[in-house]
Amino acid sequence: MPLVYYNKITHSNVGVALHDLVAWLLDDETSASVTALSSAWLTANGGSGGAGWTLIETFSATTSSVREIPGTTTGDGTLDSLPTATNGWRTGTLTVGDWCVLESLGPNPYQLYLEYEDDGASPGPNSGISYKLMPLAALGGADDFTTGGSVTTPPTADFPATSVPASGFITRDLSASGSPVQYAGNADDQTINLIDDTGTTGAGYIYIGALDGVNLTADPFPYVIYNSTSLCRFDTSDIPWRRLSPVDRATVINGDTLRWNNNTSNQGGGDPSQLDLSLGTGSHPLFPLGCMFLASNHQHFAGFLRNVGGISEAAGAKAAINDPSDPSGEFNFIFRNDAGTFDNGFGITIRWDGVTAWP
Amino acid sequence: MPFTNRYYPKLQHFNQNNGIWGLVRWLLDDQTTVAPNGPTPGSLSDAVLSTSPAGPGWKLVECRSNGGRYQPGSPTSGDGTLSGIVSTGEGVAHNWRLGATQAVNQITVTGGSASPGDTVTINGIVLTAVNGARTPGADDFDVSSGVTSTIVADMVAAINDPLNSFTSTVTAVDNDPDVELTAVVVGPSGNALTLATSNATAFGLTEPTFFGVLEADDWIVLETDRETALGATAQATASITPATGASSVTILINGIALTGVSGARTSGADDFDMSLGTVAALTAEITAAINDGANSFSTTVTATDNGTNVGLTADATNHPGTTGNLLTLSVTSVGATYTVSGPVFTGGNFGEECQLMFAIGAANDDLLHLLIPLADWTTFSSNDPATSLTLPTASVGDGLATFQSTTIPDTTFDILAVADEGMLALFWNPNRTDNLWFQYWGDVDNPNPSDSRPFIVRLSGSAGDESKIVNWQQVSFSFYWRRISPVDNTTLVTGHESTSFVGGTFSAHIHARGALWGLDSRLGTRQFFPVGVIMATSGHEHWAGWLKNIYEGHNYLGLRGSSGARDFIWLREGAIAADNNSTIVMAWDGITEV
């Protein structure tokens, strides 16, 4: 499917943002709460639309706790099809602790849990989103999320044992509760790239989903999730990738970002004088990046990240790289790097719509 | 149109000179020329070499052998092929035309002119004509019949008679009226054999010395054919279509405003008279304003009045080739509708070629090679037999305008190569453990858009060092890559291969770490990674691009092998070990074993 973009949209708080992100992943452009928000991703507003994933189940603590699946009649699968009118996922007003489970597209779809959370700090908790990946959901049975369970948050008993992470969640605390938050990203049938930038608590990044260049016979569930939510760069000191091992489909393993050295010191970033400055401003190459897992007895190269690459720190903290002359859109990117100094690593560079200004 | 891969699938060659000939024939995709000689005696008319696999179709620029040089002239039958080579005074003697493994020569007999006592001397051994049956062991032949075909047959029998003195020097074949001679020795030393006669009327000699094997000071210059894949180099273009009756017009050419005014334009004010009453007048006016040197557009575009619109062409100096496609164009108008061809210029292209020179070194077993990235080889203006050459200033070998030399054993060997219209990569001697080497010349993928000539060369070792580096080097100081800097098209810059590595503190390549023995074996998979090249010379640093058709693989793949579908092959020199050097992988033809 074509790539869709969450084209730099700011919301008043994390709860509003999460609701809109889910609507985007569902490509739900008709539900009342979605149209009311009138985000830039909507095709009615000239956006690319959403990814078209499937809504599995929601939990909303609003008014009275309800846990429900979308309807099967008119409006099937949309947020409006949730039976209870006061369900926060239907109204667009989420409460901390509300969660939903989505399912990707593709031949072996995975499931993704997203929860509106805060860190409970007092005073001034930070709000954020918690993620949990269920990579073997296509197998059903004990490997997918169990719907219809007790009304609770989080639904710990309903996660399969093969979830990633095995226990707990990957959480990105975004901003002081109630503060605006901005997201930019892309998605397709099986991947999500999201950069968040509140302007106050720094920037963050998450990647969820499939890889390219995978031998699907040997590894039919090549799904990874990025765990370094405190950094918005691919750092050489970081081991940010998590997946369920394809060797035993039981062990959660950690992985490195596979990158290419781009200066004489075999570093991923390094001295800016090394890189293409002689060929003009902004002449920095974009590098493919992969996931490499080194856990003993589980070593493998998992594949290449999709719709994201790396750029030298010398390119700066944030910018757009848009080439309007290229009809393929292959050269439209935005990048973000929160390093501040020239550490060992790459700036995160995701495919972009070539139109929306960034930053 | 994308580049098309071609494969040179391990055709065996009998010495390095013949190997070069075969490689050149393939690069030219010369399907018509046939090589005359293999290790067994043949004739000039024999087609021993099987039909060559399709090559990438490079072009012949110039070549030299036997004291003469050849350039493809006006299109004629066979022009540009090796068999089409003719040069003044050389006839069939041009070594590039023949590509022989053993030197050849020819005696054309006119029987009626032959007399007893006539001699033909083959490398100092005299063959004497007699009036009657020849005597085995006497080095003679019968001319008594006066019949050409009979005399030819007897000469051949005499030369091939083991009781005579010739069989360790030459063999002969009857091709009435010719006696075709082939040196017994393989290689260029056979070119030194002499041929003489006391009666040139009866025994016409092709050459006083044997010929056909490439030898010292023979050279050839080839040129890539990127234009076929990429299109010709062209400047980006756009257009503006004006309309009469506008009350306000602003044309933005790459952000520079050309403003409509009512009345005569002012030179230097970046304006034009929008009140003119016809479209033709408006196009002329806009063209004049854009081309006015006092205005602000001269370093960006030039304009052409097409009568109904204004054609814009990106400036070749400041916005060459594909960089011109980044120029923007827009217009706002009130009262009349002005239009533009699009938001950006289009059609800018770099289809530059590079040249590659091969030469046989003085020692006959040295292959010399030189990348000529500016494609500025100057062909000779006369039939100059001079062996000293003036190499292009910006050519790249061991240094600027300096060949790199590689020794190739003068025995049977193989070549494995992949090429397309813009590059050549090859393994020599893939089945040997010595003199195995890898080379790459030509363009790369995804260079910087402003790099119109992304042509690089990998040396087989350090300058002047013939050690063969047939693996990827993880050590950052192995500067085996060279090119002319895209910054100034003058400076020789060096660089190293850029391969993938796992995070951590300068850890060795993922495939080289001993702890990763059995990498991916549990999944039964192997990965091949792209290889980039980074140039590190101060002031010229840049990422050159990704190698084409060449990849990196696990050094535990073994010294040589191929993927299951033979769509990749790999070779490596040195022991298989958990060291920092990984294996060179080449895209392959899906058929041939290594």
Side-chain angles (χ1 to χ4, degrees):
Chain A
M1 65 165 284
L3 203 59
V4 294
Y5 303 95
Y6 200 80
N7 38 345
K8 202 184 80 173
I9 304 170
T10 300
H11 297 287
S12 57
N13 60 65
V14 171
V16 176
L18 176 58
H19 174 267
D20 195 44
L21 282 168
V22 167
W24 171 65
L25 289 171
L26 298 175
D27 194 22
D28 181 351
E29 301 199 49
T30 61
S31 292
S33 59
V34 178
T35 56
L37 206 56
S38 192
S39 291
W41 65 267
L42 297 169
T43 54
N45 294 333
S48 61
W53 291 21
T54 304
L55 180 61
I56 300 299
E57 191 171 34
T58 65
F59 169 79
S60 171
T62 304
T63 306
S64 57
S65 296
V66 290
R67 176 171 170 168
E68 51 194 15
I69 61 176
T72 56
T73 56
T74 302
D76 178 31
T78 65
L79 297 171
D80 266 357
S81 73
L82 294 167
T84 301
T86 56
N87 186 324
W89 290 101
R90 181 168 161 180
T91 65
T93 302
L94 297 180
T95 302
V96 169
D98 287 358
W99 53 260
C100 71
V101 174
L102 307 181
E103 186 169 286
S104 74
L105 300 171
N108 290 321
Y110 60 86
Q111 291 175 338
L112 178 67
Y113 171 89
L114 303 100
E115 178 185 326
Y116 180 24
E117 63 88 37
D118 71 33
D119 59 7
S122 179
N126 286 328
S127 297
I129 300 175
S130 289
Y131 303 90
K132 198 175 189 70
L133 177 66
M134 290 160 275
L136 303 186
L139 297 177
D143 288 308
D144 68 348
F145 183 78
T146 302
T147 58
S150 61
V151 177
T152 185
T153 184
T156 305
D158 300 319
F159 294 120
T162 51
S163 299
V164 179
S167 62
F169 305 94
I170 290 170
T171 299
R172 165 68 177 155
D173 285 331
L174 289 170
S175 66
S177 296
S179 297
V181 59
Q182 179 197 96
Y183 274 104
N186 61 51
D188 63 15
D189 56 343
Q190 291 203 311
T191 61
I192 307 169
N193 280 286
L194 281 176
I195 295 174
D196 62 83
D197 193 339
T198 67
T200 55
T201 58
Y205 168 74
I206 193 161
Y207 180 105
I208 301 163
L211 302 168
D212 285 336
V214 179
N215 183 329
L216 292 175
T217 301
D219 186 4
F221 306 99
Y223 306 126
V224 299
I225 186 166
Y226 183 84
N227 189 46
S228 186
T229 51
S230 62
L231 300 176
C232 194
R233 63 185 181 273
F234 293 115
D235 196 287
T236 55
S237 64
D238 202 15
I239 305 177
W241 300 101
R242 303 289 182 269
R243 73 161 298 179
L244 197 67
S245 169
V247 176
D248 63 6
R249 295 184 188 173
T251 308
V252 175
I253 53 179
N254 302 346
D256 288 63
T257 304
L258 185 71
R259 59 181 67 81
W260 274 258
N261 61 318
N262 66 338
N263 70 16
T264 56
S265 299
N266 279 340
Q267 297 186 40
D271 187 340
S273 67
Q274 300 288 333
L275 292 166
D276 280 35
L277 298 183
S278 304
L279 293 176
T281 302
S283 296
H284 294 286
L286 303 178
F287 295 94
L289 298 170
C291 289
M292 179 66 204
F293 291 86
L294 305 180
S296 180
N297 297 319
H298 300 272
Q299 302 99 317
H300 67 287
F301 173 73
F304 290 95
L305 300 177
R306 187 185 294 181
N307 304 315
V308 64
I311 194 169
S312 166
E313 288 94 342
K318 58 174 80 173
I321 308 167
N322 290 327
D323 181 0
S325 70
D326 175 34
S328 71
E330 286 292 305
F331 294 100
N332 296 332
F333 292 88
I334 61 171
F335 68 86
R336 185 71 175 89
N337 189 328
D338 68 342
T341 59
F342 298 110
D343 298 321
N344 302 329
F346 282 115
I348 293 172
T349 314
I350 67 172
R351 292 197 183 279
W352 198 232
D353 64 2
V355 176
T356 306
W358 172 271
Chain B
M1 177 177 176
F3 289 89
T4 302
N5 284 6
R6 302 295 184 185
Y7 305 92
Y8 195 82
K10 203 174 73 173
L11 291 181
Q12 190 178 59
H13 295 283
F14 308 110
N15 61 48
Q16 65 103 358
N17 298 348
N18 175 261
I20 284 296
W21 184 89
L23 182 67
V24 165
R25 178 169 173 257
W26 171 72
L27 287 170
L28 297 174
D29 194 23
D30 181 351
Q31 301 280 347
T32 60
T33 299
V34 294
N37 296 88
T40 56
S43 73
L44 288 174
S45 62
D46 287 348
V48 175
L49 188 66
S50 60
T51 302
S52 176
W58 290 20
K59 293 164 282 186
L60 174 59
V61 177
E62 190 173 36
C63 61
R64 180 207 174 270
S65 80
N66 303 93
R69 91 287 179 270
Y70 168 74
Q71 308 153 16
S74 300
T76 59
S77 176
D79 182 43
T81 66
L82 297 175
S83 58
I85 291 174
V86 291
S87 60
T88 304
E90 299 306 320
V92 298
H94 209 291
N95 296 337
W96 284 108
R97 180 172 182 272
L98 297 175
T101 56
Q102 295 156 272
V104 296
N105 215 329
Q106 183 171 284
I107 307 164
T108 302
V109 176
T110 305
S113 300
S115 299
D118 289 344
T119 60
V120 174
T121 305
I122 303 172
N123 207 41
I125 308 170
V126 180
L127 178 68
T128 305
V130 295
N131 188 19
R134 69 179 183 89
T135 303
D139 291 346
D140 59 15
F141 67 102
D142 185 3
V143 296
S144 63
S145 68
V147 176
T148 298
S149 59
T150 305
I151 294 172
V152 167
D154 205 59
M155 285 186 73
V156 169
I159 292 169
N160 292 335
D161 187 340
L163 295 180
N164 285 333
S165 307
F166 304 94
T167 55
S168 63
T169 303
V170 294
T171 57
V173 170
D174 183 343
N175 191 25
D176 176 35
D178 300 322
V179 175
E180 295 184 348
L181 302 173
T182 303
V184 170
V185 68
V186 175
S189 61
N191 288 348
L193 299 180
T194 58
L195 187 64
T197 182
S198 63
N199 183 352
T201 303
F203 306 105
L205 308 180
T206 299
E207 290 291 328
T209 57
F210 280 53
F211 55 88
V213 181
L214 290 174
E215 59 185 348
D217 297 325
D218 288 349
W219 51 258
I220 191 165
V221 177
L222 307 175
E223 184 170 291
T224 54
D225 188 29
R226 299 172 83 237
E227 191 172 287
T228 294
L230 299 176
T233 296
Q235 289 302 108
T237 59
S239 65
I240 305 166
T241 303
T244 58
S247 59
S248 169
V249 181
T250 302
I251 302 169
L252 286 176
I253 303 173
N254 209 39
I256 307 170
L258 178 67
T259 305
V261 295
S262 295
R265 71 178 183 91
T266 303
S267 179
D270 291 348
D271 61 13
F272 74 99
D273 186 354
M274 65 181 174
S275 68
L276 295 173
T278 67
V279 170
L282 287 171
T283 59
E285 170 74 355
I286 293 171
T287 299
I290 291 173
N291 290 338
D292 185 341
N295 285 334
S296 305
F297 306 96
S298 61
T299 60
T300 303
V301 294
T302 56
T304 303
D305 181 2
N306 294 321
T308 56
N309 64 53
V310 176
L312 303 176
T313 303
D315 178 76
T317 299
N318 297 292
H319 303 281
T322 54
T323 63
N325 295 336
L326 299 175
L327 296 177
T328 59
L329 181 64
S330 66
V331 63
T332 55
S333 57
V334 176
T337 303
Y338 278 56
T339 60
V340 295
S341 53
V344 292
F345 282 51
T346 59
N349 190 53
F350 283 130
E352 305 294 346
E353 309 290 355
C354 75
Q355 295 168 337
L356 178 59
M357 182 175 188
F358 289 117
I360 309 301
N364 270 325
D365 58 355
D366 288 341
L367 174 65
L368 310 179
H369 45 89
L370 187 74
L371 184 71
I372 307 172
L374 302 186
D376 57 348
W377 173 263
T378 302
T379 55
F380 283 96
S381 59
S382 63
N383 191 23
D384 183 358
T387 57
S388 61
L389 298 173
T390 300
L391 302 175
T393 303
S395 56
V396 180
D398 268 359
L400 285 174
T402 305
F403 283 115
Q404 193 192 30
S405 170
T406 302
T407 299
I408 300 173
D410 193 21
T411 56
T412 302
F413 70 99
D414 304 325
I415 300 173
L416 294 165
V418 61
D420 64 23
E421 292 88 342
M423 56 72 64
L424 165 67
L426 58 82
F427 293 116
W428 289 83
N429 296 316
N431 292 314
R432 299 174 67 108
T433 56
D434 63 323
N435 292 300
L436 165 66
W437 59 281
F438 167 76
Q439 259 289 9
Y440 185 108
W441 299 270
D443 66 2
V444 290
D445 276 338
N446 302 116
N448 188 300
S450 66
D451 187 357
S452 63
R453 294 183 175 275
F455 307 126
I456 63 175
V457 55
R458 189 184 195 258
L459 308 183
S460 55
S462 303
D465 175 7
E466 301 206 1
S467 61
K468 310 303 183 295
I469 308 299
V470 189
N471 48 49
W472 296 122
Q473 296 282 296
Q474 302 305 316
V475 177
S476 64
F477 304 109
S478 303
F479 294 107
Y480 295 129
W481 292 91
R482 301 197 168 189
R483 69 166 297 180
I484 289 298
S485 171
V487 177
D488 60 11
N489 276 340
T490 301
T491 305
L492 176 66
V493 298
T494 61
H496 62 92
E497 45 249 23
S498 176
T499 51
S500 60
F501 67 101
V502 73
T505 55
F506 306 103
S507 52
H509 186 263
I510 57 166
H511 282 170
R513 291 166 64 175
L516 300 181
W517 168 252
L519 180 68
D520 286 19
S521 63
R522 294 172 185 84
L523 295 180
T525 60
R526 291 285 183 267
Q527 281 79 32
F528 303 133
F529 298 106
V531 178
V533 177
I534 180 165
M535 295 299 172
T537 301
S538 179
H540 302 266
E541 301 94 337
H542 66 284
W543 175 270
W546 299 100
L547 298 181
K548 297 166 69 177
N549 308 309
I550 298 294
Y551 305 91
E552 176 188 27
H554 196 313
N555 56 348
Y556 285 137
L557 289 174
L559 294 179
R560 61 181 54 80
S562 56
S563 59
R566 291 183 190 149
D567 47 355
F568 296 96
I569 60 171
W570 53 86
L571 275 164
R572 174 191 165 82
E573 184 172 43
I576 302 171
D579 60 18
N580 290 337
N581 305 320
S582 49
T583 299
I584 299 176
V585 178
M586 177 185 285
W588 201 230
D589 66 356
I591 301 172
T592 309
E593 294 183 56
V594 178

